Structures are given as structure tokens and as C-alpha cells.
Amino acid sequence: MKRLVSSILLTGFLWSAANPLNILQPPAATAQFSAPGELYYTFYGQQIPLTLRSDTIAVSFKTQGGTRGFSQPPYLRLQQALQGGGGNTRGGTPPAQPLNVEVTPLGDRYALVKLLSDTLNDPNSVTKRIQQEPFVESTLPVLTRTSESEQSGTTEQTVILPNEIVLSLEPGMTNLQRNILLDRHNLEIVRSLRFSNNRYIVKSKSVSGTAVLNVANQLNGLAGIQSATPNFVQSVTSGIKEQTNHNTALSQTPQAVDKLRSKLSSLPKHGETPYPTNMLPLQWHLDSTSRRGQLLPRTDVRATEAWKKSNRGDGVVVAVIDSLIQWDHPDLVNTVYTVGDVKDKLPGEVHGWDFSGEGEGDPDTRISADEVTALQPQFKKSFELSNADLLKEYEFLAFEFSGGNPDASEGEIATLIRNYLRNEIAAEFHGTWCAGVIAARPADETGLIGVAPNAKILPVRVFGLGGEITTASLIEAVGYAASRGADVINMSLGSLMPDRELTDQIFEVLDTHPNLVIIASAGNESVDGVGFPAAIPGVLSVGATNISGNRTVYSNYGGRLDLVAPGGDTELNMSGGILTTGGTWVDGFWQGIPVPDYAWGVTLDPKGKYVQVEGTSFSAPTVSGVMALMKGEDPDRRLSRDRLVSILKETASYDGLAMTKADENQYRLQASIGFGSGMGFPFIRPSGIFPQPRPVSSQEYFFGSGLVNADAAVKKVKGE
């Protein structure tokens, strides 16, 4: 922490009231400039290095060139133009040759064009072809942030760099001073950020491309400017490829419905539950005794005991800041929050808000008809194509999966590809998965139950398709959730790039709302140091454990880890995952596709109404649900955030947790060379935040304060 504070003090500049127009002075000598060819942005004075990718081109589409008036979304039109050789031909010009590229959507405004084989040698010609299309606005740089990790080698974050900067001004600056500042640096305001103070999206009138990084870097440190960060467009995935590549994905589950009934009949039934459901024995994260028996230690959060002593989260609102939240799922529709009368109510706002996409956003966080149109073709191919056609169509995936599974047959590789394609689409409903873990309320005896089934979910969407997310959308989403009275904010987004604008916004929100608890996933990179935003001081970071009580192989650990909770592990068996609500049951996905009799990929049933998943993305909402149980027993909100977090940590324990031999050896080596040393080579934590190194026990190193205990936490709140 000392390192972070020092960097703030070294790079901070005060806005001088005595010289209100000192923005006209030359930039301070300490302002940072890139060396030729060096790309980076700054995070509280740290330089975060970036690399320009040569194998991928980003495309932004014109607003009027969306799906409005067209039968296809723009990314599919671009794919047809490039791969089909159609292009923008006029005056009898013959069609251009088809290009060997892969086009994938990123939200509704962008697409990524990946160059394959021969096109890698001539990216300029591909760029020219793209720019000829009338619905294309521009092509943009694609950057990669690569950081060393201690076990997994390197982790990469890929981002698009638009000509947009999030600019935060110091309090007290007048409109005149702001306008003079913008004019001097040749900037113009795109819009101000809602639910935030003194923040704007601005763009340069004189530069574009990677030069936007230099503009942002030069703005940092100037008088009157609190901070400036490029409004990166990130593509954040959910670790689906790794999960798909597990051995269990080599086969599908035939006769899924009958096999599920058979499995449930073989498991011990649970006693009293707040809502009748036959599925509880499969939800081991709530109560593991049905799966582990009475003799083995509990590895769950003891939710079933907590239900008996609590109102199960009644009166508590948990904001889920995430991707598609299909709140009309039968097990979620009765738990969604309805926004009441607020002074700044948004047009059409009822059940949360969608901050992804163009402009002001959308009042519906569920999947739209246009988004179904964008996703359904790939989904359909995974069911319709023969093995031979699938291997040909997705040659690059076949090559990748064959390398990881050298003994697999062509049929098994085809199954892997099918599950990967389907899982990618299923993962678009990541927000639905998280919402179900927190507060699902079973519609009938075949439904699921969340940790806090009487709590309400406030859906807040920030991800477009393909995991597209921007700094600006996340800043607005956090401010929105707080303004709507959320008691808890769940952020299962542990692999974002460190961002000062979001950090400052979270600081402001926490200061303004002392009872609000923000909980975030630690990240899935298996490195020492939790990811961003979990590492932000004041945010509760959560790592993941499996049904055996081990740290999951993917979970981050060490620096800034607060607690652990079940996150699932599907390596040996899909039933080791966290069972929750899915989204591909929506009818639009199945138009023209016969519903199979088998479960596929992460699904428990043929349509994907329920899924079994893994990740710290699901240990975080488990803890958010526990926090909702605790807050439900504190209706007057007399307990501050700090006290509630203290109770959560005090009642957590290492009972039922066990270290693998691999983790024991990892700790032994790290302890010998010193904590925070990064295993002896220069190491930048994925979060960009450097906790103060201190000696810790092996249990604290991998499990923080321990496994969350909902029963003990609720008891302590009631006894306060």
C-alpha cells in the first residue's frame, strides 16, 4: 500500500484557486511522454505497458448502420463482405477475392477481424477492404496488455483504442476554465458521465490511433485535471475455453432429463428449506452434506442453517453489475427489483439499466431480438453441421483442440468445438448466472434456490456481446447502483485492466454510502495478487474453492485476498461446478433447431435453463448472497460496511479447507524469497495495485480469512 500512496503523492497536482487560469501554463515537467514506439497508459503514476497487435483489426460501425433496416447485424454483413468476396462493388466492378479472416462481434458497435494465414502478411489490404464498406465508421488499433504471472506464464488482456478519453476534472473548476482547458488541448466533449461528478468523455480533434495514449498521458498531471484515461473497449471473457477444454467436455450427456431424475433420486433429500425444490442436493455450495455425507468436513457456506435463523435477505437489494441478466427466468422473475420514484429516473426505467451499447443505454438488461439474430447463426451451426463440415468451418479451433488433446478422435474434437461454440454463447448470460447464485427463488420443485432467496436483484448491464465493456459504462453503472439504494454491489469482473477513473469513482461511492458493500471476484489467473477491481481498497475480494475444500486451480491468491467461497471445479466432473440459472432457454435461440435430448457444454438440461459453471465469478456472488442474509437481519442499517466486513471475516474459518501439495510447495518457495517479490523476477500484478508485503501463514496466503460461514455471520449480526 505504501507504494500506491507514494505514487499518488508524487504525481498529484493541486488545482490552485489563487491562479484560476493556470491551465494556460505549459505542461508540468513531470508529465509523462512515450519514447518512440513505446505504448503505455498510466495508473496513479505507474506506466502500464501495451503492445500493438498485428494479427487483429478492430472495426467500429456507424450508428445508422446497425441492424435497423437490415436483416443482418453489421458484423455479419462485414463477415459476408470479407469472407464471401462481395464487398462494396459499384459500377460493374467485379467482386473482390474472399479473405481468410475471422469476424467476431464485440457489443453492437464493434467487431474484431482476426487475420489468418495469408492475410497476416498484408494487413493493409484487409484494412482498405474494410474501410470501403458504407456501414463502417473506422478501423481502430487493437492493443494487448501482457503481464508476467507466477504459474500460468503470461496473461493477456486485449483492448480496442477508440478516440475517446475519460477526463476527470478537479472539483471547483468553472465551465469557462473547463472550456479553455479543452480548447488548449484540442479536445471536445462527447458527453458528460452520469452518476458521477466532474467526469466527461472527450475526444481529440487532432490525433487518432495510438496517439490517443500520448494525449491521455500528457493530460495526467496538468493543473485542474484529476486524471485522464483512454476509454478502452475491453473484451473480457469468462474462462469458457479452459472449462470447455476439460476432459469432461469430450462427451455429451445423453437423455439428460432422465439421468438428472435418476441422479437426484440417488442423493439424500434435504430437510426443511424456505422453498420446496428437488435440486438442492446438487447445490453443494449451499450445503455439501448431500454430496459429501455426514462424516467429511463441510465445504459449503452453511446457507441452509442460516435460512432457519434469518429472513433470508428480505428487504435487501443486491445490484449485479454484469452482462445479460435474463430476469424473466422463472427462478428470477419474482426476485427482480422494481425501481421506485427517484429524482433522476431514466426514460422507461423499471428493472435496472443497460449501460452497454451506444448512447444513453437501455432500460432492458435482457437479450434483444437483434442480439439473438447476431448469436443464433453460430449456435445453429454447432447443432446442424456434420463433423467434417464443422472441422472445416472452424479449422483454427480444430488445430487448437487437437494440440491439447492429441489422442482425441475427429468426432471428439468436433464435440469439443460444438461445446466451445455453444458455451461462448451460453456465457453471454454471465450476469444471469451470477444473479441466480445470489437470489434465485424456485418457481417449482425443479427450480434452483439462491443464497438469499428473499433478496432483490437490481440488474445493471455493462457488457455487450463478446464481453465488450468500457471504462465509461462501468463508472456510470457503479454510480447508478449506489444511487438506486443498492445495499450490496456484486462485480464478477476480475480481469479488467487497472483503471484510475473507476478506482476514483468507487472511492467516491464508498465515501458517500458508508453502509454499501462492494464485492468482487479475485480473478482466474492463478497468480499472487487479486485482479482489478477486486484489489481496490474498500472492495471485498473473494477467491474460489472446490467441493474438496481446496483452492481451485484457477483462483488468484495472496496479495489483497480477503475471503474464499465455493466457485466450482469442473475438471473431474461437471457436477463439481456451481449450479445456477442459464439463458439459452430463450425461444429465439431454438428457432429452426430441434431441441436435443442431451445436455451440452455447461448446461444441465437440453435448452440451457440451468448451467454448471466454475470461476471466482461465482464465489463472489455467493458472498454477496451471504452479505444479503446479514443485512436482512439489520433492517435499520445500524451496522457500517466496515463492521459487516469484520463480522464476515471473524466468522470465516479454515475448517474444511485443505491445501494441495502443489500449493504447499508454492507457499514454501514464496515464503523463502519474500512475499511480494513475484517469484524473483519483475512482476506487475494484474490489478496494478501493490499491497504492502508482510509475512502470512500458508492458510491466509491461499484462503484469506477463510471460508465464509453464513450461519455464524448471521448469528453474530443478530447478537450485535
Side-chain angles (χ1 to χ4, degrees), residues 366-399:
R366 298 172 297 177
I367 194 166
S368 68
D370 285 346
E371 288 174 320
V372 171
T373 301
L375 295 175
Q376 212 254 2
Q378 180 168 290
F379 193 64
K380 194 172 184 179
K381 284 180 183 178
S382 75
F383 287 97
E384 286 188 340
L385 293 182
S386 66
N387 286 351
D389 288 341
L390 195 75
L391 292 171
K392 183 179 179 181
E393 176 93 6
Y394 296 97
E395 184 179 356
F396 61 98
L397 281 178
F399 177 79

mmCIF file of all heavy atoms in Angstrom, residues 366-399:
data_model
loop_
_atom_site.group_PDB
_atom_site.id
_atom_site.type_symbol
_atom_site.label_atom_id
_atom_site.label_comp_id
_atom_site.label_asym_id
_atom_site.label_seq_id
_atom_site.Cartn_x
_atom_site.Cartn_y
_atom_site.Cartn_z
ATOM 1 N N ARG A 366 -32.098 -7.607 -20.556
ATOM 2 C CA ARG A 366 -32.232 -8.925 -21.179
ATOM 3 C C ARG A 366 -31.756 -8.886 -22.634
ATOM 4 O O ARG A 366 -31.499 -7.835 -23.189
ATOM 5 C CB ARG A 366 -33.690 -9.377 -21.118
ATOM 6 C CG ARG A 366 -34.225 -9.549 -19.710
ATOM 7 C CD ARG A 366 -35.718 -9.807 -19.707
ATOM 8 N NE ARG A 366 -36.458 -8.667 -20.245
ATOM 9 C CZ ARG A 366 -37.784 -8.640 -20.410
ATOM 10 N NH1 ARG A 366 -38.508 -9.706 -20.087
ATOM 11 N NH2 ARG A 366 -38.379 -7.559 -20.891
ATOM 12 N N ILE A 367 -31.650 -10.064 -23.219
ATOM 13 C CA ILE A 367 -31.173 -10.144 -24.603
ATOM 14 C C ILE A 367 -32.232 -9.574 -25.532
ATOM 15 O O ILE A 367 -33.442 -9.774 -25.346
ATOM 16 C CB ILE A 367 -30.820 -11.600 -24.986
ATOM 17 C CG1 ILE A 367 -30.021 -11.635 -26.285
ATOM 18 C CG2 ILE A 367 -32.073 -12.491 -25.053
ATOM 19 C CD1 ILE A 367 -29.354 -12.963 -26.549
ATOM 20 N N SER A 368 -31.788 -8.812 -26.540
ATOM 21 C CA SER A 368 -32.697 -8.202 -27.504
ATOM 22 C C SER A 368 -32.845 -9.105 -28.725
ATOM 23 O O SER A 368 -32.054 -10.027 -28.945
ATOM 24 C CB SER A 368 -32.171 -6.834 -27.933
ATOM 25 O OG SER A 368 -30.978 -6.991 -28.702
ATOM 26 N N ALA A 369 -33.833 -8.799 -29.544
ATOM 27 C CA ALA A 369 -34.043 -9.568 -30.777
ATOM 28 C C ALA A 369 -32.827 -9.439 -31.698
ATOM 29 O O ALA A 369 -32.424 -10.409 -32.345
ATOM 30 C CB ALA A 369 -35.311 -9.084 -31.474
ATOM 31 N N ASP A 370 -32.235 -8.243 -31.757
ATOM 32 C CA ASP A 370 -31.056 -8.055 -32.605
ATOM 33 C C ASP A 370 -29.888 -8.892 -32.112
ATOM 34 O O ASP A 370 -29.104 -9.422 -32.907
ATOM 35 C CB ASP A 370 -30.653 -6.575 -32.628
ATOM 36 C CG ASP A 370 -31.594 -5.736 -33.491
ATOM 37 O OD1 ASP A 370 -32.362 -6.328 -34.263
ATOM 38 O OD2 ASP A 370 -31.562 -4.503 -33.362
ATOM 39 N N GLU A 371 -29.746 -9.002 -30.792
ATOM 40 C CA GLU A 371 -28.645 -9.791 -30.240
ATOM 41 C C GLU A 371 -28.858 -11.279 -30.486
ATOM 42 O O GLU A 371 -27.901 -12.016 -30.744
ATOM 43 C CB GLU A 371 -28.495 -9.492 -28.748
ATOM 44 C CG GLU A 371 -27.924 -8.103 -28.488
ATOM 45 C CD GLU A 371 -27.903 -7.728 -27.033
ATOM 46 O OE1 GLU A 371 -28.871 -8.040 -26.306
ATOM 47 O OE2 GLU A 371 -26.920 -7.101 -26.588
ATOM 48 N N VAL A 372 -30.103 -11.725 -30.422
ATOM 49 C CA VAL A 372 -30.395 -13.116 -30.779
ATOM 50 C C VAL A 372 -30.033 -13.361 -32.237
ATOM 51 O O VAL A 372 -29.415 -14.377 -32.580
ATOM 52 C CB VAL A 372 -31.878 -13.453 -30.532
ATOM 53 C CG1 VAL A 372 -32.220 -14.826 -31.112
ATOM 54 C CG2 VAL A 372 -32.196 -13.433 -29.044
ATOM 55 N N THR A 373 -30.356 -12.403 -33.101
ATOM 56 C CA THR A 373 -30.022 -12.525 -34.520
ATOM 57 C C THR A 373 -28.516 -12.630 -34.734
ATOM 58 O O THR A 373 -28.047 -13.359 -35.613
ATOM 59 C CB THR A 373 -30.577 -11.309 -35.301
ATOM 60 O OG1 THR A 373 -31.991 -11.258 -35.135
ATOM 61 C CG2 THR A 373 -30.241 -11.408 -36.780
ATOM 62 N N ALA A 374 -27.765 -11.893 -33.902
ATOM 63 C CA ALA A 374 -26.305 -11.920 -34.041
ATOM 64 C C ALA A 374 -25.705 -13.239 -33.572
ATOM 65 O O ALA A 374 -24.715 -13.713 -34.132
ATOM 66 C CB ALA A 374 -25.690 -10.764 -33.253
ATOM 67 N N LEU A 375 -26.298 -13.841 -32.547
ATOM 68 C CA LEU A 375 -25.718 -15.041 -31.935
ATOM 69 C C LEU A 375 -26.242 -16.345 -32.527
ATOM 70 O O LEU A 375 -25.543 -17.356 -32.545
ATOM 71 C CB LEU A 375 -25.994 -15.041 -30.430
ATOM 72 C CG LEU A 375 -25.346 -13.929 -29.592
ATOM 73 C CD1 LEU A 375 -25.829 -14.007 -28.149
ATOM 74 C CD2 LEU A 375 -23.832 -14.030 -29.640
ATOM 75 N N GLN A 376 -27.464 -16.333 -33.010
ATOM 76 C CA GLN A 376 -28.111 -17.589 -33.398
ATOM 77 C C GLN A 376 -27.438 -18.344 -34.533
ATOM 78 O O GLN A 376 -27.384 -19.580 -34.504
ATOM 79 C CB GLN A 376 -29.583 -17.322 -33.737
ATOM 80 C CG GLN A 376 -30.489 -18.489 -33.400
ATOM 81 C CD GLN A 376 -30.951 -19.245 -34.639
ATOM 82 O OE1 GLN A 376 -30.557 -18.900 -35.766
ATOM 83 N NE2 GLN A 376 -31.756 -20.268 -34.442
ATOM 84 N N PRO A 377 -26.862 -17.651 -35.547
ATOM 85 C CA PRO A 377 -26.223 -18.417 -36.637
ATOM 86 C C PRO A 377 -25.128 -19.354 -36.149
ATOM 87 O O PRO A 377 -25.053 -20.510 -36.582
ATOM 88 C CB PRO A 377 -25.678 -17.313 -37.552
ATOM 89 C CG PRO A 377 -26.566 -16.153 -37.322
ATOM 90 C CD PRO A 377 -26.912 -16.207 -35.867
ATOM 91 N N GLN A 378 -24.241 -18.874 -35.277
ATOM 92 C CA GLN A 378 -23.168 -19.741 -34.770
ATOM 93 C C GLN A 378 -23.736 -20.851 -33.898
ATOM 94 O O GLN A 378 -23.291 -21.995 -33.967
ATOM 95 C CB GLN A 378 -22.165 -18.906 -33.966
ATOM 96 C CG GLN A 378 -21.012 -19.738 -33.397
ATOM 97 C CD GLN A 378 -19.899 -18.869 -32.865
ATOM 98 O OE1 GLN A 378 -19.199 -18.224 -33.631
ATOM 99 N NE2 GLN A 378 -19.727 -18.851 -31.549
ATOM 100 N N PHE A 379 -24.732 -20.508 -33.097
ATOM 101 C CA PHE A 379 -25.393 -21.505 -32.255
ATOM 102 C C PHE A 379 -26.006 -22.599 -33.131
ATOM 103 O O PHE A 379 -25.859 -23.799 -32.849
ATOM 104 C CB PHE A 379 -26.468 -20.804 -31.422
ATOM 105 C CG PHE A 379 -27.032 -21.633 -30.298
ATOM 106 C CD1 PHE A 379 -26.229 -22.048 -29.248
ATOM 107 C CD2 PHE A 379 -28.372 -21.965 -30.270
ATOM 108 C CE1 PHE A 379 -26.742 -22.787 -28.198
ATOM 109 C CE2 PHE A 379 -28.904 -22.708 -29.219
ATOM 110 C CZ PHE A 379 -28.083 -23.120 -28.189
ATOM 111 N N LYS A 380 -26.645 -22.186 -34.216
ATOM 112 C CA LYS A 380 -27.299 -23.137 -35.113
ATOM 113 C C LYS A 380 -26.287 -24.044 -35.796
ATOM 114 O O LYS A 380 -26.508 -25.260 -35.927
ATOM 115 C CB LYS A 380 -28.117 -22.365 -36.152
ATOM 116 C CG LYS A 380 -29.096 -23.208 -36.941
ATOM 117 C CD LYS A 380 -29.997 -22.326 -37.806
ATOM 118 C CE LYS A 380 -31.047 -23.160 -38.516
ATOM 119 N NZ LYS A 380 -31.945 -22.303 -39.349
ATOM 120 N N LYS A 381 -25.164 -23.474 -36.228
ATOM 121 C CA LYS A 381 -24.127 -24.279 -36.876
ATOM 122 C C LYS A 381 -23.631 -25.393 -35.962
ATOM 123 O O LYS A 381 -23.309 -26.495 -36.412
ATOM 124 C CB LYS A 381 -22.943 -23.390 -37.282
ATOM 125 C CG LYS A 381 -23.171 -22.533 -38.501
ATOM 126 C CD LYS A 381 -21.940 -21.691 -38.809
ATOM 127 C CE LYS A 381 -22.171 -20.770 -39.991
ATOM 128 N NZ LYS A 381 -20.986 -19.917 -40.265
ATOM 129 N N SER A 382 -23.527 -25.105 -34.666
ATOM 130 C CA SER A 382 -22.999 -26.105 -33.735
ATOM 131 C C SER A 382 -23.897 -27.328 -33.645
ATOM 132 O O SER A 382 -23.446 -28.407 -33.252
ATOM 133 C CB SER A 382 -22.812 -25.491 -32.347
ATOM 134 O OG SER A 382 -24.042 -25.320 -31.677
ATOM 135 N N PHE A 383 -25.158 -27.181 -34.012
ATOM 136 C CA PHE A 383 -26.093 -28.315 -33.989
ATOM 137 C C PHE A 383 -26.298 -28.927 -35.374
ATOM 138 O O PHE A 383 -26.559 -30.121 -35.492
ATOM 139 C CB PHE A 383 -27.455 -27.866 -33.433
ATOM 140 C CG PHE A 383 -27.459 -27.609 -31.954
ATOM 141 C CD1 PHE A 383 -27.305 -26.326 -31.463
ATOM 142 C CD2 PHE A 383 -27.602 -28.652 -31.037
ATOM 143 C CE1 PHE A 383 -27.302 -26.078 -30.101
ATOM 144 C CE2 PHE A 383 -27.590 -28.413 -29.674
ATOM 145 C CZ PHE A 383 -27.439 -27.118 -29.203
ATOM 146 N N GLU A 384 -26.176 -28.115 -36.413
ATOM 147 C CA GLU A 384 -26.541 -28.577 -37.749
ATOM 148 C C GLU A 384 -25.391 -29.174 -38.555
ATOM 149 O O GLU A 384 -25.580 -30.117 -39.311
ATOM 150 C CB GLU A 384 -27.155 -27.419 -38.560
ATOM 151 C CG GLU A 384 -28.566 -27.060 -38.137
ATOM 152 C CD GLU A 384 -29.193 -26.061 -39.093
ATOM 153 O OE1 GLU A 384 -28.435 -25.390 -39.826
ATOM 154 O OE2 GLU A 384 -30.428 -25.954 -39.110
ATOM 155 N N LEU A 385 -24.187 -28.617 -38.417
ATOM 156 C CA LEU A 385 -23.081 -29.047 -39.267
ATOM 157 C C LEU A 385 -22.619 -30.467 -38.915
ATOM 158 O O LEU A 385 -22.590 -30.854 -37.742
ATOM 159 C CB LEU A 385 -21.902 -28.083 -39.142
ATOM 160 C CG LEU A 385 -22.085 -26.665 -39.685
ATOM 161 C CD1 LEU A 385 -20.803 -25.860 -39.512
ATOM 162 C CD2 LEU A 385 -22.497 -26.693 -41.157
ATOM 163 N N SER A 386 -22.235 -31.210 -39.942
ATOM 164 C CA SER A 386 -21.639 -32.527 -39.712
ATOM 165 C C SER A 386 -20.259 -32.346 -39.100
ATOM 166 O O SER A 386 -19.698 -31.236 -39.106
ATOM 167 C CB SER A 386 -21.515 -33.280 -41.038
ATOM 168 O OG SER A 386 -20.575 -32.626 -41.886
ATOM 169 N N ASN A 387 -19.705 -33.424 -38.584
ATOM 170 C CA ASN A 387 -18.358 -33.334 -38.003
ATOM 171 C C ASN A 387 -17.346 -32.802 -39.020
ATOM 172 O O ASN A 387 -16.526 -31.931 -38.706
ATOM 173 C CB ASN A 387 -17.906 -34.706 -37.504
ATOM 174 C CG ASN A 387 -18.613 -35.120 -36.227
ATOM 175 O OD1 ASN A 387 -19.324 -34.314 -35.621
ATOM 176 N ND2 ASN A 387 -18.426 -36.363 -35.813
ATOM 177 N N ALA A 388 -17.410 -33.319 -40.240
ATOM 178 C CA ALA A 388 -16.450 -32.913 -41.269
ATOM 179 C C ALA A 388 -16.603 -31.429 -41.599
ATOM 180 O O ALA A 388 -15.615 -30.690 -41.708
ATOM 181 C CB ALA A 388 -16.639 -33.759 -42.527
ATOM 182 N N ASP A 389 -17.854 -30.972 -41.751
ATOM 183 C CA ASP A 389 -18.091 -29.564 -42.078
ATOM 184 C C ASP A 389 -17.693 -28.658 -40.917
ATOM 185 O O ASP A 389 -17.178 -27.548 -41.125
ATOM 186 C CB ASP A 389 -19.561 -29.344 -42.437
ATOM 187 C CG ASP A 389 -19.928 -29.943 -43.784
ATOM 188 O OD1 ASP A 389 -18.999 -30.203 -44.583
ATOM 189 O OD2 ASP A 389 -21.124 -30.159 -44.041
ATOM 190 N N LEU A 390 -17.932 -29.107 -39.709
ATOM 191 C CA LEU A 390 -17.573 -28.306 -38.543
ATOM 192 C C LEU A 390 -16.065 -28.152 -38.434
ATOM 193 O O LEU A 390 -15.553 -27.059 -38.174
ATOM 194 C CB LEU A 390 -18.130 -28.964 -37.273
ATOM 195 C CG LEU A 390 -18.155 -28.092 -36.015
ATOM 196 C CD1 LEU A 390 -19.274 -27.075 -36.093
ATOM 197 C CD2 LEU A 390 -18.330 -28.955 -34.776
ATOM 198 N N LEU A 391 -15.333 -29.247 -38.656
ATOM 199 C CA LEU A 391 -13.871 -29.193 -38.591
ATOM 200 C C LEU A 391 -13.308 -28.280 -39.681
ATOM 201 O O LEU A 391 -12.299 -27.586 -39.464
ATOM 202 C CB LEU A 391 -13.286 -30.603 -38.736
ATOM 203 C CG LEU A 391 -13.569 -31.561 -37.577
ATOM 204 C CD1 LEU A 391 -13.141 -32.977 -37.937
ATOM 205 C CD2 LEU A 391 -12.868 -31.109 -36.306
ATOM 206 N N LYS A 392 -13.957 -28.249 -40.834
ATOM 207 C CA LYS A 392 -13.507 -27.387 -41.922
ATOM 208 C C LYS A 392 -13.845 -25.928 -41.639
ATOM 209 O O LYS A 392 -13.029 -25.029 -41.840
ATOM 210 C CB LYS A 392 -14.160 -27.843 -43.225
ATOM 211 C CG LYS A 392 -13.699 -27.052 -44.446
ATOM 212 C CD LYS A 392 -14.365 -27.583 -45.713
ATOM 213 C CE LYS A 392 -13.933 -26.777 -46.941
ATOM 214 N NZ LYS A 392 -14.588 -27.272 -48.173
ATOM 215 N N GLU A 393 -15.065 -25.699 -41.161
ATOM 216 C CA GLU A 393 -15.524 -24.327 -40.883
ATOM 217 C C GLU A 393 -14.700 -23.674 -39.784
ATOM 218 O O GLU A 393 -14.394 -22.481 -39.848
ATOM 219 C CB GLU A 393 -17.003 -24.358 -40.473
ATOM 220 C CG GLU A 393 -17.573 -23.015 -40.061
ATOM 221 C CD GLU A 393 -18.240 -22.276 -41.204
ATOM 222 O OE1 GLU A 393 -18.363 -22.845 -42.300
ATOM 223 O OE2 GLU A 393 -18.621 -21.112 -40.989
ATOM 224 N N TYR A 394 -14.352 -24.454 -38.763
ATOM 225 C CA TYR A 394 -13.613 -23.904 -37.611
ATOM 226 C C TYR A 394 -12.240 -24.573 -37.522
ATOM 227 O O TYR A 394 -11.873 -25.167 -36.512
ATOM 228 C CB TYR A 394 -14.409 -24.114 -36.324
ATOM 229 C CG TYR A 394 -15.722 -23.361 -36.326
ATOM 230 C CD1 TYR A 394 -16.913 -24.006 -36.682
ATOM 231 C CD2 TYR A 394 -15.764 -22.010 -36.017
ATOM 232 C CE1 TYR A 394 -18.115 -23.311 -36.713
ATOM 233 C CE2 TYR A 394 -16.967 -21.311 -36.031
ATOM 234 C CZ TYR A 394 -18.136 -21.967 -36.380
ATOM 235 O OH TYR A 394 -19.324 -21.274 -36.402
ATOM 236 N N GLU A 395 -11.504 -24.444 -38.623
ATOM 237 C CA GLU A 395 -10.203 -25.092 -38.741
ATOM 238 C C GLU A 395 -9.237 -24.642 -37.640
ATOM 239 O O GLU A 395 -8.469 -25.430 -37.102
ATOM 240 C CB GLU A 395 -9.611 -24.782 -40.117
ATOM 241 C CG GLU A 395 -8.287 -25.481 -40.406
ATOM 242 C CD GLU A 395 -7.769 -25.155 -41.790
ATOM 243 O OE1 GLU A 395 -8.474 -24.445 -42.551
ATOM 244 O OE2 GLU A 395 -6.661 -25.609 -42.124
ATOM 245 N N PHE A 396 -9.284 -23.345 -37.285
ATOM 246 C CA PHE A 396 -8.362 -22.825 -36.269
ATOM 247 C C PHE A 396 -8.666 -23.418 -34.894
ATOM 248 O O PHE A 396 -7.758 -23.701 -34.112
ATOM 249 C CB PHE A 396 -8.446 -21.294 -36.214
ATOM 250 C CG PHE A 396 -9.799 -20.740 -35.855
ATOM 251 C CD1 PHE A 396 -10.074 -20.344 -34.561
ATOM 252 C CD2 PHE A 396 -10.786 -20.606 -36.821
ATOM 253 C CE1 PHE A 396 -11.318 -19.827 -34.229
ATOM 254 C CE2 PHE A 396 -12.032 -20.099 -36.497
ATOM 255 C CZ PHE A 396 -12.304 -19.709 -35.200
ATOM 256 N N LEU A 397 -9.964 -23.667 -34.586
ATOM 257 C CA LEU A 397 -10.308 -24.298 -33.314
ATOM 258 C C LEU A 397 -9.912 -25.776 -33.326
ATOM 259 O O LEU A 397 -9.452 -26.310 -32.310
ATOM 260 C CB LEU A 397 -11.811 -24.173 -33.046
ATOM 261 C CG LEU A 397 -12.322 -22.826 -32.521
ATOM 262 C CD1 LEU A 397 -13.832 -22.860 -32.354
ATOM 263 C CD2 LEU A 397 -11.654 -22.468 -31.195
ATOM 264 N N ALA A 398 -10.108 -26.422 -34.461
ATOM 265 C CA ALA A 398 -9.732 -27.834 -34.573
ATOM 266 C C ALA A 398 -8.241 -28.004 -34.321
ATOM 267 O O ALA A 398 -7.812 -28.940 -33.615
ATOM 268 C CB ALA A 398 -10.112 -28.370 -35.952
ATOM 269 N N PHE A 399 -7.435 -27.107 -34.877
ATOM 270 C CA PHE A 399 -5.990 -27.172 -34.681
ATOM 271 C C PHE A 399 -5.645 -26.986 -33.203
ATOM 272 O O PHE A 399 -4.819 -27.707 -32.638
ATOM 273 C CB PHE A 399 -5.312 -26.086 -35.524
ATOM 274 C CG PHE A 399 -3.823 -26.007 -35.338
ATOM 275 C CD1 PHE A 399 -2.973 -26.908 -35.976
ATOM 276 C CD2 PHE A 399 -3.263 -25.030 -34.517
ATOM 277 C CE1 PHE A 399 -1.598 -26.841 -35.791
ATOM 278 C CE2 PHE A 399 -1.900 -24.951 -34.340
ATOM 279 C CZ PHE A 399 -1.060 -25.859 -34.974
#
